Amino acid sequence: MAARKNGGSSTCIVEPIELTDVSQYLKQPKEAKLAQSPPSLHISETRASEQDRIENSDPVENLPSPTTHAAEKLERWNTPRTNLWRSMAAFWSFVVMGSNDAAYGALIPYLQQYYNLTFVVISLVFLSPLVGYTASALLNNAIHLKYGQRGVAIIAPSCHLIAYIVIALHPPYPVLVVIFMIAGFGNGLADAAWNAWMGNMANPNEILGFLHAFYGLGAVLSPLIATTMITKGDRLPWYYFYYVMISMAAIELGTSIWTFWTATGAVFRANNPRTTDTKDNRMKEALVRLPYARVTWICALFLLGYVGIEVALGGWIVKFMLEVRDGSEFASGMTATGFWMGLTVGRIVLGFVTPKLGEKLAIAIYLPLTMALELVFWLVPQFYVSAVAVALQGFFIGPLFPAAIVAATKLLPRHLHVSAIGFAAAFGGSGAAILPFAVGAIAQAKGVQVLQPIILAFLGVILGLWFCLPRIHRKEE
C-alpha cells in the first residue's frame, strides 16, 4: 500500500504487490525465523531438521494431542502377512522363556548337590533374575520409543544367549547367580513387548492364550529334557542341559531379528500417538496419573502374585514330591511336567472360554477352583492325587496372565499399552524371583511342605486384587 500526493490532497492508492509463500517458516525453529537470508537457501535445511527432530523424539511430546480418532482396523496374528512371521518368532521366544523358568525346578536338587548349598542359598537362582526384570520394566518404554520392536528383538535373545553360554561352563555359584540377572532382563523385555503387541490384536484372549501356551510348551519340554538327561542314560551333568538352551536362544535371535528388522522406533511412534493432553512422559502417566495408574499397579501386583505362584509351584514341586510324597526321581520330575502341561492346555482351551464369560467373571471362577484343588493337594497325602491336583491347578491358572493383559488393553488408552502393560508384565515377572525365593527361605527352617499354605494364601491375595479392577466395559481410546 502506498500514499501519494494528488494536487493539494493526499490520496491512499492500493497497488497490487507480489505475495511470497512463507508457510515453510511456520515449521522452523525461532532461530531460523530470525535469519535474514532468502527463503530458498533454507527450505531444504528446515525440512531435514524437522525430519530429524521427528525421528529422534517421541512426537507426542511436541505435537498437540489429537481429540478425535478414526476407528482403526485391528491387526491380526496373520494380517498383514508380516505379522505371521513375527507371531511365529514371538511364539518361539516364549518357548525359550518357558524353558528358562521351568528348568529351575528340575535342576534345583542337582544344583544343590553339585554346589553343596542350603535351601536359602540355592534359592538365590530364583531371586537374582529380579534385578533383570526390574531393569526391563523401567527401560521397556524407552527402548520401544528409540529402537522400536527391533531393539527388543536384538537385546532380549542376546541376553538369553550370553547367559546360557556362561551357565553351560558351570562357573562358580556366585557367577551363576549374577548371570541369571541377564537372563531375567531378556525374559522381562520380551515378555513385556510381545504381550503388549499381541494384546492389541483382534481376538486378544485367543491369541494371547496361544502365546502363553507356547511358554507352557517350553515349560513342559524343559523339565522333561533336563530330567531325562540327568536321570536316564549316561546320567549327564546338569549343565549339559544348557547346551540345548544355547541352540534355542540362537534360533530365537535369528528369527526375531529377521522378522522385526523393519519395526523401528519411528514406526512405533507413528503407530502409537498420544491420546491425552498431559505433558508427562508415557511411563509417568501410566504409573502416577490417575485413573490409569490404578489399573497399571493393580495389574502389576496381580501378575506379580500370579507369576510367583506359577513358578513357585513349578519350581518346588519336584523337591516337594521327592521329600514329602516320597516319589522317585523320575516320577517327581514328571509331576512338574504334568503341571506345565495342564497350564499349556488350559491356556489354549480356556482362551476360547474366557472372552465368552468376560475377563472379570472368568478369573473370578478360575481362581476359587484353583484354591479348592490346592486344598486337595495339601491335605490328601497321596502321590498320585497330588500329581493330578497340581496338573489341574495348572489348567485353571493358565489363562490368568492373558486375561489380565486383555483387561489392561480395554481399560487403558492405546498410547499407554507398551509402557503400562510392559511395566506390569515385567514387574509381574519379578514374582518368578520373589515368591520361589521366599518358599526356599522358609523351607530352610520349616521344610518344603510350607509350599502349600503359601500358595493357597497368595491365590487368595490375587483374587482380592482382581476384584479391585474397575468394571470392564469396552476398550478405551
Side-chain angles (χ1 to χ4, degrees):
M1 186 177 292
R4 292 185 179 177
K5 294 271 187 179
N6 186 11
S9 64
S10 177
T11 305
C12 186
I13 301 173
V14 177
E15 294 183 350
I17 61 174
E18 184 178 352
L19 299 178
T20 303
D21 182 9
V22 294
S23 61
Q24 66 270 20
Y25 287 99
L26 297 176
K27 295 182 179 179
Q28 288 182 306
K30 292 182 178 179
E31 293 81 358
K33 291 181 180 180
L34 297 175
Q36 300 299 318
S37 304
S40 61
L41 298 178
H42 294 281
I43 292 174
S44 60
E45 294 178 9
T46 302
R47 289 176 178 169
S49 175
E50 179 72 8
Q51 184 65 24
D52 182 68
R53 178 178 67 79
I54 292 174
E55 288 180 356
N56 290 285
S57 65
D58 182 357
V60 298
E61 303 294 342
N62 302 290
L63 300 176
S65 300
T67 55
T68 59
H69 301 271
E72 61 177 332
K73 184 178 180 181
L74 294 175
E75 292 184 44
R76 294 182 177 273
W77 71 275
N78 58 352
T79 307
R81 188 70 174 178
T82 310
N83 280 1
L84 172 63
W85 307 114
R86 289 179 177 177
S87 296
M88 295 299 104
F91 289 160
W92 181 255
S93 182
F94 266 62
V95 171
V96 176
M97 290 163 55
S99 299
N100 177 88
D101 289 350
Y104 298 145
L107 295 177
I108 269 187
Y110 310 104
L111 282 170
Q112 190 174 15
Q113 182 180 4
Y114 184 84
Y115 288 106
N116 192 26
L117 301 171
T118 64
F119 274 119
V120 173
V121 178
I122 196 64
S123 295
L124 288 174
V125 300
F126 288 119
L127 190 62
S128 62
L130 175 61
V131 177
Y133 276 109
T134 303
S136 67
L138 298 175
L139 295 175
N140 171 61
N141 187 60
I143 290 172
H144 271 82
L145 286 173
K146 188 164 183 63
Y147 303 110
Q149 292 171 318
R150 178 202 288 181
V152 177
I154 295 172
I155 297 170
S158 297
C159 289
H160 288 151
L161 187 59
I162 292 168
Y164 301 149
I165 290 172
V166 175
I167 296 170
L169 299 175
H170 52 99
Y173 187 69
V175 177
L176 201 67
V177 171
V178 172
I179 210 66
F180 275 124
M181 297 178 188
I182 298 175
F185 182 76
N187 268 24
L189 201 58
D191 198 13
W194 310 147
N195 270 297
W197 176 54
M198 290 189 165
N200 276 308
M201 291 183 177
N203 304 316
N205 275 291
E206 291 88 338
I207 190 64
L208 283 174
F210 274 95
L211 179 68
H212 287 269
F214 277 96
Y215 175 95
L217 176 63
V220 168
L221 295 175
S222 176
L224 178 63
I225 294 170
T227 301
T228 303
M229 290 175 70
I230 295 170
T231 63
K232 302 292 182 180
D234 296 330
R235 299 183 69 89
L236 298 169
W238 64 268
Y239 49 84
Y240 271 52
F241 169 74
Y242 281 92
Y243 292 121
V244 176
M245 295 300 295
I246 289 170
S247 62
M248 293 174 68
I251 295 172
E252 180 193 15
L253 180 61
T255 56
S256 296
I257 291 177
W258 173 56
T259 55
F260 285 98
W261 185 254
T262 57
T264 62
V267 172
F268 172 78
R269 294 191 299 270
N271 291 339
N272 295 271
R274 188 184 295 277
T275 56
T276 56
D277 58 4
T278 178
K279 297 301 180 184
D280 294 332
N281 64 51
R282 300 184 187 207
M283 184 61 77
K284 183 177 180 181
E285 187 180 359
L287 299 182
V288 178
R289 300 297 181 191
L290 294 174
Y292 303 133
R294 174 190 174 192
V295 175
T296 303
W297 281 106
I298 290 176
C299 287
L301 292 170
F302 177 87
L303 292 179
L304 180 131
Y306 163 73
V307 175
I309 291 167
E310 174 190 282
V311 178
L313 265 176
W316 285 105
I317 185 65
V318 176
K319 194 74 173 174
F320 179 88
M321 299 300 272
L322 280 169
E323 295 193 359
V324 181
R325 296 290 185 257
D326 298 320
S328 66
E329 286 187 350
F330 186 77
S332 298
M334 290 304 98
T335 304
T337 300
F339 168 74
W340 292 110
M341 181 69 77
L343 185 133
T344 303
V345 174
R347 283 174 170 169
I348 295 174
V349 174
L350 296 180
F352 292 92
V353 176
T354 300
K356 297 184 184 304
L357 297 174
E359 291 80 21
K360 201 73 180 285
L361 176 60
I363 302 309
I365 294 173
Y366 301 155
L367 274 173
L369 288 173
T370 307
M371 294 171 75
L373 288 164
E374 177 59 31
L375 281 171
V376 173
F377 186 13
W378 181 14
L379 299 177
V380 181
Q382 299 292 329
F383 182 91
Y384 292 108
V385 172
S386 296
V388 172
V390 79
L392 289 174
Q393 282 185 75
F395 179 82
F396 285 111
I397 68 171
L400 265 60
F401 200 120
I405 298 299
V406 173
T409 65
K410 292 181 177 180
L411 293 168
L412 295 169
R414 183 184 176 91
H415 76 274
L416 293 183
H417 286 176
V418 165
S419 50
I421 296 173
F423 175 83
F427 182 83
S430 64
I434 297 172
L435 188 54
F437 174 79
V439 171
I442 298 171
Q444 178 66 33
K446 304 293 185 180
V448 76
Q449 61 266 22
V450 300
L451 175 66
Q452 309 314 325
I454 291 175
I455 295 299
L456 185 61
F458 270 83
L459 285 168
V461 169
I462 65 172
L463 180 60
L465 285 169
W466 186 251
F467 288 130
C468 292
L469 276 177
R471 290 188 66 182
I472 302 171
H473 296 288
R474 60 181 175 82
K475 185 175 176 180
E476 294 183 10
E477 278 294 351

